[in-house]
Amino acid sequence: MRDSALANVIFAVLRTSQIWASHLTLFMMVGALVLQIFARELGLQVDWTEELSRFSFVAMVFVAASYASQTGSHLRVSAFADLAARWRPLDLLITAAQAIAVLVFDCLFFWYCFKNLQDGLRYVNASPALNFNENLLFIAPLCGFGAAIIYRLMSIIFVPPPSTGMAVSKDLHQ
Amino acid sequence: MNDVHLVLMILFPLLLLIGVPIYAALGLTGFAAAYVTGSPMAVASQSILNGIDKFPLLAIPAFIFAGNLMEQGGITQSIVRVFRHLLGHIPGSLGIVTIFSCMFFAAISGSGPGAAAAVGGIMIPAMLRYGYPPAYAAATVATGGTLGVLIPPSNPMILYGIIANTSIRDLFVAGVVPGILVGFALAGVAYLYAKWLGIKAIDRQESDGTLWRVLWEGKAALAMPGIILGGIYSGFFTPVEASVVAVVYAMFVGALVNRSLTFKGLNIALHRTHMISGALMIVVATSTLFARIITLERIPQILVETFSNATDNTLLLLLMINILLLVVGCFMETLSAIIILGPVLVPLIDSFGVDKTHFGIILILNIEIAFLTPPLGVNLFVAAQIAGIKIEKMMLATLPFILILLVMLALITLVPELSLWLPRTLK
């Protein structure tokens, strides 16, 4: 595996854009729900807040899930894989199988989200309050898993820079 | 046995066994099943997206965020100081505190993983700080969090009430006595387990000031459940809205009252929230596709028909349904399990004369246990993620809690009055 300044820049752009997109959508979700409470108490009609919060949540999940997967925070049952890691040839085989399985899923999900988005632009599914085409939500997994595919393909050749040090487990142990 | 059965029985366990991320294992199995049946693959990706497009799920990342903000804003420390003063002389006090805090949060959140995330974000770091074994800390939080679905308000109860065409209010009231019983039983296990592990009591002398001073200094933190609960029961906001009130309140107290929440702390809280909720919610999303395949293959119906043909004894039927639910709960996300099995099981238990409210509580208790059983024990993942340990490592520590939950399940199944007495009294 190689180290490259350009690859490091691409890795950094991928991570930064995903984390900021997650921040933004989380704050939109929280903000919309807070507004919903105040507006109801003040007797204001803001029936779009529930839709906005739901759409923000869906977008956040797919971008954050992709980010979590790239930083190794994904959930898995690792008992057998860890046991197998003691025998080098089996470890290599399992690691390769894991990488291929994740990449295949990411590509399949990306491709069929793209197909859904294409169809969704032709046959609009408008939400009642915001009149937002709900099929546009497929953009979120397209962005998230598109970034994941680029990350995984680049990781085959280049060494990804270490995580920002925000890993959940490490911080909580301090 | 057809091709889909082979995919479900071979591909899914194999992918899990070799350590493929659970979301990818569920998703690939779903895509493979769609492929062999000739179903449109685009529908599979629609199922994944629709899997998280459920409004009650919004509470989970919001409570995870609130929990992280409370940790960064010094609210955790206030709570721990108070409980150290009150219960520090008891071995394993923080384990007991975790269970009671979960009971408290259960009355706020309505979600098992939400309660585990909210309390876990506070209590796991505290327990680790005081030298508790990480497996014990994670197991206590994962188990305590399960109370989130039994003690009202509860999202699964609402869903079951709609499916079973039974009163949601009755279901909420019916959950109170079993919820308190299970909570105290789990606290007892937490105490005995801590004693067996040799966890020492926290020295009261370590703490500074009198109890009243500690209570006064922690007033903002202690008021939080009151504000959330009061808000829900007064009708000021819904449980999902309560989760964002918790976020705003934690920010307010952390930044302006305690003055401990910095931009760096906020950034750390955001990062942790995204990592935990991202990793968790994508499993919920892909499990919807998996559940869809199971439904299309009529697997739950086949299992239920087998059980109903086997006996005409009500208790035996309930025992068999409990076993079925426990097995299904290992592989299926909670809301999906209710959506799929509810319409199948309700007519069956109704024909045997079992009260639908009583059965609702039995179903919810099974779901509680399912939160702790791999490979899809969501609370295990939440707690393991926060504690930074492997799921396998904490599974052994979870066993005593699962055993007591099974005892409570048997008790509540055998004694319907435990669930039905309060709703009947209040009618």
Side-chain angles (χ1 to χ4, degrees), chain B residues 74-394:
Chain B
I75 297 172
T76 311
Q77 286 79 347
S78 304
I79 293 171
V80 171
R81 274 185 72 201
V82 171
F83 284 118
R84 250 179 64 177
H85 244 95
L86 288 172
L87 297 161
H89 58 288
I90 302 170
S93 57
L94 292 184
I96 301 167
V97 167
T98 300
I99 300 290
F100 287 134
S101 303
C102 283
M103 282 175 76
F104 219 59
F105 266 85
I108 304 168
S109 72
S111 150
V119 176
I122 302 163
M123 294 309 296
I124 288 180
M127 281 194 268
L128 297 181
R129 204 169 292 136
Y130 285 103
Y132 282 57
Y136 173 89
T140 316
V141 165
T143 316
T146 66
L147 292 164
V149 293
L150 186 59
I151 295 175
S154 159
N155 296 332
M157 276 187 195
I158 296 169
L159 205 57
Y160 171 79
I162 295 163
I163 290 168
N165 194 23
T166 190
S167 160
I168 293 168
R169 180 193 168 274
D170 280 359
L171 280 167
F172 276 8
V173 177
V176 172
V177 174
I180 292 169
L181 273 177
V182 172
F184 274 90
L186 291 176
V189 173
Y191 167 73
L192 292 172
Y193 193 12
K195 222 175 166 181
W196 182 72
L197 286 171
I199 295 169
K200 292 194 173 71
I202 298 166
D203 188 1
R204 263 187 180 170
Q205 299 306 314
E206 282 177 34
S207 180
D208 48 340
T210 62
L211 175 63
W212 296 115
R213 192 181 153 194
V214 171
L215 283 172
W216 177 249
E217 284 173 359
K219 60 186 181 298
L222 295 171
M224 189 174 178
I227 290 168
I228 305 293
L229 273 177
I232 292 173
Y233 288 115
S234 64
F236 198 72
F237 38 73
T238 65
V240 173
E241 291 169 348
S243 66
V244 297
V245 170
V247 168
V248 173
Y249 188 73
M251 271 189 179
F252 172 76
V253 174
L256 300 176
V257 179
N258 291 354
R259 295 178 186 276
S260 305
L261 184 64
T262 58
F263 275 110
K264 193 185 169 197
L266 178 65
N267 197 24
I268 291 170
L270 281 164
H271 268 85
R272 285 179 181 167
T273 304
H274 296 316
M275 295 230 218
I276 297 171
S277 57
L280 183 66
M281 300 316 293
I282 192 71
V283 175
V284 175
T286 48
S287 75
T288 310
L289 170 62
F290 190 75
R292 187 185 164 91
I293 303 295
I294 286 179
T295 312
L296 290 173
E297 285 305 304
R298 299 187 72 252
I299 289 170
Q301 283 91 333
I302 293 167
L303 287 172
V304 168
E305 279 167 20
T306 310
F307 281 132
S308 61
N309 288 337
T311 184
D312 56 358
N313 182 304
T314 308
L315 276 179
L316 201 59
L317 175 85
L318 285 175
L319 176 70
M320 288 194 294
I321 290 176
N322 277 331
I323 293 167
L324 169 76
L325 290 171
L326 289 171
V327 173
V328 170
C330 292
F331 300 98
M332 211 179 276
E333 186 266 325
T334 316
L335 296 179
S336 304
I338 296 175
I339 292 165
I340 294 163
L341 291 176
V344 185
L345 292 176
V346 171
L348 179 68
I349 57 106
D350 211 20
S351 66
F352 274 73
V354 178
D355 188 285
K356 284 196 278 189
T357 305
H358 177 216
F359 181 70
I361 302 302
I362 294 173
L363 182 71
I364 301 297
L365 253 168
N366 275 289
I367 284 165
E368 260 199 86
I369 299 167
F371 279 133
L372 301 172
T373 49
L376 278 186
V378 182
N379 278 24
L380 288 181
F381 299 135
V382 174
Q385 190 86 331
I386 298 171
I389 58 166
K390 288 180 179 168
I391 291 167
E392 303 89 284
K393 207 173 169 186
M394 67 173 285

Side-chain angles (χ1 to χ4, degrees), chain A:
Chain A
M1 291 225 280
R2 291 158 50 193
D3 206 355
S4 149
L6 178 65
N8 285 345
V9 170
I10 298 172
F11 279 127
V13 168
L14 284 177
R15 282 186 179 168
T16 310
S17 55
Q18 285 179 91
I19 203 67
W20 277 102
S22 303
H23 288 1
L24 180 70
T25 45
L26 180 65
F27 276 113
M28 274 171 68
M29 182 190 101
V30 172
L33 286 169
V34 170
L35 182 64
Q36 181 170 291
I37 300 166
F38 283 109
R40 192 178 52 241
E41 294 309 314
L42 295 171
L44 300 171
Q45 182 97 14
V46 281
D47 50 356
W48 47 268
T49 49
E50 185 168 323
E51 279 184 10
L52 181 63
S53 61
R54 194 161 50 82
F55 299 153
S56 305
F57 165 72
V58 171
M60 186 205 75
V61 166
F62 285 109
V63 179
S66 158
Y67 181 76
S69 149
Q70 288 164 49
T71 50
S73 303
H74 51 255
L75 307 167
R76 68 191 187 113
V77 180
S78 59
F80 178 74
D82 287 354
L83 202 68
R86 293 177 190 173
W87 192 45
R88 182 100 179 121
L90 191 59
D91 181 37
L92 286 173
L93 191 70
I94 286 178
T95 308
Q98 286 173 355
I100 291 167
V102 173
L103 192 59
V104 169
F105 172 75
D106 287 357
C107 290
L108 280 172
F109 190 43
F110 179 86
W111 177 247
Y112 287 106
C113 282
F114 177 69
K115 300 295 273 179
N116 276 308
L117 181 65
Q118 269 187 327
D119 286 346
L121 291 174
R122 262 182 290 165
Y123 309 104
V124 174
N125 174 24
S127 66
L130 281 171
N131 201 25
F132 173 79
N133 182 0
E134 293 197 32
N135 295 319
L136 289 175
L137 285 175
F138 281 104
I139 291 173
L142 273 176
C143 293
F145 283 81
I149 292 166
I150 296 169
Y151 177 89
R152 285 187 215 293
L153 289 175
M154 282 183 62
S155 302
I156 297 170
I157 306 164
F158 302 105
V159 185
S163 186
T164 52
M166 301 284 185
V168 176
S169 52
K170 284 172 193 160
D171 272 333
L172 290 175
H173 277 305
Q174 284 168 7

